[in-house]
Amino acid sequence: MTRPQLIILQIANLLVVGTGLVYAWMRYAVTPTDEWAVVNHPLQPLVQHLHVLAAPLLVFAVGLIWSGHVAAKLRNGRRNRAAGIGLMALFLPMAASGYLLQVAVDEQWRERWIWVHVAASLAWIAAFIVHQVGAVV
């Protein structure tokens, strides 16, 4: 992986993870001051939109490193392989559930996609950190 590719991947991951964690905090941990409020925090819609807009950058970044890094490591690399394979296994459910919860009409399906998205995303964050630390060590 080239240095520019790594920078794009890390920036995209930081934007998506940062906005996702802030949005999750606003949605699930903040109590609205007004009992009739539609959102828990005044900036919640903005943070959600930023998260949705940043996500395609992460999809692009993962695609960008696919042939030069992921496929090459699967063919002949051994170093830090478990965390990298974990990242690739988590990427599809994380990305797909993110898009599917945007278009789900039925509330039960929407809730299922949210659970899948949150679980895959938290696992992605952990695996990404492990993979980055393993690359340095």
Side-chain angles (χ1 to χ4, degrees), residues 93-94 97 111-121:
M94 180 181 69
S97 63
E111 286 297 319
R112 288 179 187 134
W113 292 130
I114 288 171
W115 277 102
V116 170
H117 189 64
V118 169
S121 297

Side-chain angles (χ1 to χ4, degrees), residues 27-45:
R27 176 148 181 186
Y28 300 110
V30 173
T31 305
T33 55
D34 179 12
E35 67 179 288
W36 301 104
V38 178
V39 294
N40 296 345
H41 190 281
L43 294 177
Q44 184 176 330

Side-chain angles (χ1 to χ4, degrees), residues 8 12 17 24 36 38-39 43 51 54 60 71 102-103 106 111 122 134-135:
I8 290 170
V17 168
W36 301 104
V38 178
V39 294
L43 294 177
H51 182 68
F60 171 77
Q102 296 292 317
V103 298
D106 182 59
E111 286 297 319
L122 290 174

Side-chain angles (χ1 to χ4, degrees), residues 62-135:
V62 169
L64 185 65
I65 67 160
W66 185 265
S67 64
H69 180 71
V70 177
K73 291 290 183 180
L74 285 174
R75 280 193 298 274
N76 59 17
R78 294 256 184 250
R79 199 174 87 142
N80 211 11
R81 197 171 187 180
I85 290 171
L87 281 169
M88 290 303 102
L90 290 165
F91 185 73
L92 182 62
M94 180 181 69
S97 63
Y99 287 108
L100 289 168
L101 72 90
Q102 296 292 317
V103 298
V105 177
D106 182 59
E107 190 59 32
Q108 286 182 330
W109 276 108
R110 184 167 167 69
E111 286 297 319
R112 288 179 187 134
W113 292 130
I114 288 171
W115 277 102
V116 170
H117 189 64
V118 169
S121 297
L122 290 174
W124 167 272
I125 293 168
F128 192 82
I129 291 169
V130 168
H131 193 64
Q132 293 297 297
V133 170

Side-chain angles (χ1 to χ4, degrees), residues 38-63:
V38 178
V39 294
N40 296 345
H41 190 281
L43 294 177
Q44 184 176 330
L46 174 65
V47 174
Q48 180 186 21
H49 295 313
L50 291 174
H51 182 68
V52 170
L53 291 171
L57 181 60
L58 183 59
V59 173
F60 171 77
V62 169

